[in-house]
Amino acid sequence: MIPGSFEYFAPTALDEALSLLQEHGDDAKVLAGGHSLIPTMKLRLAEPAVIIDIGGIGSLKGISESDGNLVIGALTTHHELESSDLVQQKVPLLAETAAEIGDVQVRNKGTIGGSLAHADPAADWPATILALDADLQITGPNGERTVKATDFFQGLYETDLGDDEILTAIHVSIPDANTKGTYLKLHQVASGFALTGVAVVLTKSGDTCQSVAVGITGVSEAPYRASGVESGLTGSALSAENIAAAAERAVDGITALEDIHASEAYRQNLAKVYTRRAIEAAAS
Amino acid sequence: MLPSEINLSPIFSGDNSFRFFVAVKKRFCYNAIQFKERSQIFVRSLEGQDVQKEATPLAKKVIHTTINGEAHTHEVEPRMLLIHYIRDVVGLTGSHIGCETSLCGACTVSVNGQAVKSCTMLAVQADGAEITTIEGLAQNGDLHPIQEGFWERHGLQCGFCTPGMIMAAHQLLARNSNPTEEEIRHGLEGNLCRCTGYQHIVEAVQYAAGKMQG
């Protein structure tokens, strides 16, 4: 399987990449780690005339701490997130999520920015990024803007990212000591993608749920925040009954996907069960 | 090409059917249509019509790599995959092509110290990289301890997955010199063996870990 022909550019600065994007418009695709785009090109489902390989843009790499936030460059690989001491110390949920993605080789090459921009409905990052209420930093011809994760994902492979824009960084606010996160996933056995993936960020006040954010992937056309679960649990005691009752609302207002791996009803059930288990783990 | 004209069945019988099908529908078709149209214009231009109007020659690119310590410079098409570059251009056929879908790991090589599936990387992405393939592990005719482990512990039957398994094990031991059995199994999860030889493979890696620690 060999991709179709394309013209290849490897800019080393963000400005250069943005002007190439402006010049080539819809003909161009941005290549980061390539672990979503290259397989699609090998199947000839994508035949972009131009590839803009941003892998050499150093300013898009790395993880740093700034004003109570972790700032993650879009080109940071899953492995770098999984193994970073800073991430494990400040937002362990990110490292936990990274470790669930694909396999070692995929994590060595795939990037968080590439995954988010591709917006596969079964990708892992969207659930966690939603639950952490992250801000996504985007650069385009008119400069920089920031979009909330909740506004970023718009549908199947559809995001808020414009054709002439590049996702450059992810900003995650570092949670306080009373806040715990969990990412729980059922792997599709062959591909490793999430049949259901639930990320929970829970803040406790004694035995009461002060606030909870639940991000769910793999279930619907687009990843989503399970607002019914969140409102059902906030302010309540974190008892097994309350958690189970709130988790029942995991697919409220959501149309679950159906494919050869899972029926609609099975996915709905998975979402509820994994939501319950993830909240229980975060509350323990 | 419209979605209805794409014969999906041979490709889409596998795992990613849903995802890739919707990818066609939702996002990529437009590019494909545009590119087909451009290709047709290009063909016409080769026949002598309107040559000036076609402005996109798909240039080859010169890449420099160091593979197993040896420097290479080649001109490649940007679409050439790294595994094809290693096997067909450089002539190192130890790395195998198995599934071609980033699942089986037979094509695993090390690029700048990171194990990658070379079927899912373009050769141009490896410009300037230090690459190690299975051929680069033995030194002065002596097997690498991982290779020796596969020999001593019968870590292979047909041997097709072995180069990739060994390169993945090489990455594992570089990051964790004394892995538990569970860590070995987790570290090799990106590599498939169809002779069901996992138990011996794990033992081979344990042998190598012991030997490398001296």
Side-chain angles (χ1 to χ4, degrees):
Chain A
M1 291 194 293
I2 296 167
S5 294
F6 53 83
E7 206 176 347
Y8 176 81
F9 297 96
T12 51
L14 186 58
D15 286 354
E16 206 186 325
L18 289 167
S19 13
L20 283 165
L21 260 185
Q22 275 219 287
E23 187 185 333
H24 296 285
D26 273 353
D27 285 349
K29 283 270 175 240
V30 173
L31 177 70
H35 274 50
S36 299
L37 182 57
I38 293 175
T40 320
M41 288 169 63
K42 284 164 69 180
L43 291 169
R44 304 287 179 115
L45 293 173
E47 294 191 44
V50 174
I51 286 290
I52 301 170
D53 179 359
I54 59 170
I57 303 180
S59 62
L60 300 182
K61 294 176 187 170
I63 306 162
S64 60
E65 188 181 349
S66 161
D67 296 333
N69 284 292
L70 270 193
V71 182
I72 303 158
L75 285 183
T76 307
T77 64
H78 312 314
H79 171 70
E80 285 161 349
L81 279 150
E82 176 189 7
S83 58
S84 153
D85 289 340
L86 184 63
V87 171
Q88 285 173 2
Q89 207 186 330
K90 301 290 180 182
V91 194
L93 175 59
L94 288 167
E96 202 184 305
T97 307
E100 293 295 321
I101 298 172
D103 53 51
V104 176
Q105 293 94 319
V106 169
R107 294 195 290 275
N108 279 346
K109 202 79 187 88
T111 66
I112 184 169
S115 171
L116 293 171
H118 184 65
D120 190 298
D124 296 288
W125 281 124
T128 295
I129 290 306
L130 280 169
L132 287 167
D133 205 21
D135 290 313
L136 308 187
Q137 187 182 327
I138 290 168
T139 308
N142 304 320
E144 279 194 0
R145 66 187 180 97
T146 298
V147 61
K148 281 289 198 202
T150 40
D151 298 324
F152 183 75
F153 302 105
Q154 297 185 338
L156 209 52
Y157 298 97
E158 285 178 358
T159 68
D160 182 54
L161 199 61
D163 282 337
D164 53 0
E165 293 182 315
I166 294 177
L167 173 61
T168 53
I170 296 97
H171 296 247
V172 175
S173 138
I174 297 170
D176 63 27
N178 296 325
T179 302
K180 277 176 80 177
T182 306
Y183 180 64
L184 208 58
K185 166 188 182 183
L186 180 65
H187 296 74
Q188 200 285 317
V189 179
S191 71
F193 274 97
L195 271 180
T196 292
V198 180
V200 168
V201 174
L202 179 83
T203 306
K204 285 206 289 190
S205 170
D207 286 333
T208 305
C209 170
Q210 189 180 319
S211 70
V212 63
V214 180
I216 300 185
T217 188
V219 173
S220 169
E221 284 205 349
Y224 62 96
R225 282 275 293 265
S227 48
V229 179
E230 296 173 0
S231 59
L233 199 60
T234 302
S236 304
L238 287 163
S239 65
E241 297 75 26
N242 288 347
I243 292 173
E248 279 300 306
R249 300 177 61 183
V251 287
D252 279 9
I254 295 297
T255 307
L257 296 169
E258 174 156 313
D259 60 20
I260 57 167
H261 305 301
S263 67
E264 188 180 351
Y266 181 49
R267 267 204 174 76
Q268 287 170 339
N269 189 54
L270 283 176
K272 293 173 188 175
V273 171
Y274 276 73
T275 298
R276 175 173 58 74
R277 291 180 187 170
I279 296 173
E280 283 169 353
S284 65
Chain B
M1 186 185 284
L2 298 171
S4 60
E5 293 168 345
I6 302 173
N7 181 8
L8 296 169
S9 54
I11 303 172
F12 289 90
S13 54
D15 278 309
N16 292 317
S17 55
F18 170 74
R19 261 192 293 287
F20 284 130
F21 181 65
V22 293
V24 175
K25 276 173 60 182
K26 282 275 183 175
R27 186 159 163 196
F28 294 116
C29 214
Y30 183 55
N31 280 346
I33 293 164
Q34 279 194 326
F35 188 69
K36 293 281 183 213
E37 284 169 356
R38 286 171 63 138
S39 308
Q40 283 156 14
I41 295 166
F42 188 55
V43 171
R44 277 208 303 278
S45 70
L46 287 177
E47 289 163 353
Q49 297 171 26
D50 208 10
V51 174
Q52 289 302 316
K53 228 176 169 179
E54 179 50 52
T56 321
L58 298 171
K60 288 191 174 182
K61 190 174 183 306
V62 175
I63 60 168
H64 305 278
T65 58
T66 304
I67 305 183
N68 304 331
E70 197 177 312
H72 296 272
T73 299
H74 291 104
E75 198 177 45
V76 299
E77 264 195 272
R79 64 174 172 164
M80 176 175 271
L81 299 171
L82 181 58
I83 184 64
H84 293 136
Y85 172 71
I86 291 170
R87 289 177 56 88
D88 302 341
V89 178
V90 181
L92 295 170
T93 55
S95 309
H96 290 163
I97 301 174
C99 71
E100 292 193 77
T101 53
S102 334
L103 291 173
C104 81
C107 64
T108 300
V109 300
S110 168
V111 176
N112 295 330
Q114 306 277 304
V116 301
K117 293 180 173 176
S118 58
C119 77
T120 310
M121 189 170 165
L122 302 169
V124 287
Q125 286 179 284
D127 185 21
E130 295 258 354
I131 298 169
T132 306
T133 68
I134 186 69
E135 290 93 339
L137 289 190
Q139 296 296 323
N140 306 317
D142 293 329
L143 292 181
H144 186 281
I146 305 174
Q147 292 172 307
E148 193 183 305
F150 272 69
W151 176 288
E152 292 293 335
R153 293 290 181 264
H154 312 289
L156 62 138
Q157 288 181 44
C158 85
F160 191 85
C161 73
T162 311
M165 281 287 179
I166 290 178
M167 294 311 295
H170 190 253
Q171 170 85 94
L172 168 71
L173 294 177
R175 287 178 179 167
N176 179 359
S177 58
N178 189 22
T180 63
E181 180 178 342
E182 195 188 339
E183 285 167 341
I184 293 172
R185 289 181 187 275
H186 191 58
L188 298 180
E189 70 186 337
N191 294 71
L192 302 180
C193 165
R194 293 297 78 173
C195 302
T196 69
Y198 294 109
Q199 185 57 39
H200 290 293
I201 290 170
V202 171
E203 287 168 16
V205 177
Q206 286 170 327
Y207 173 98
K211 175 132 187 179
M212 286 163 79
Q213 286 188 317

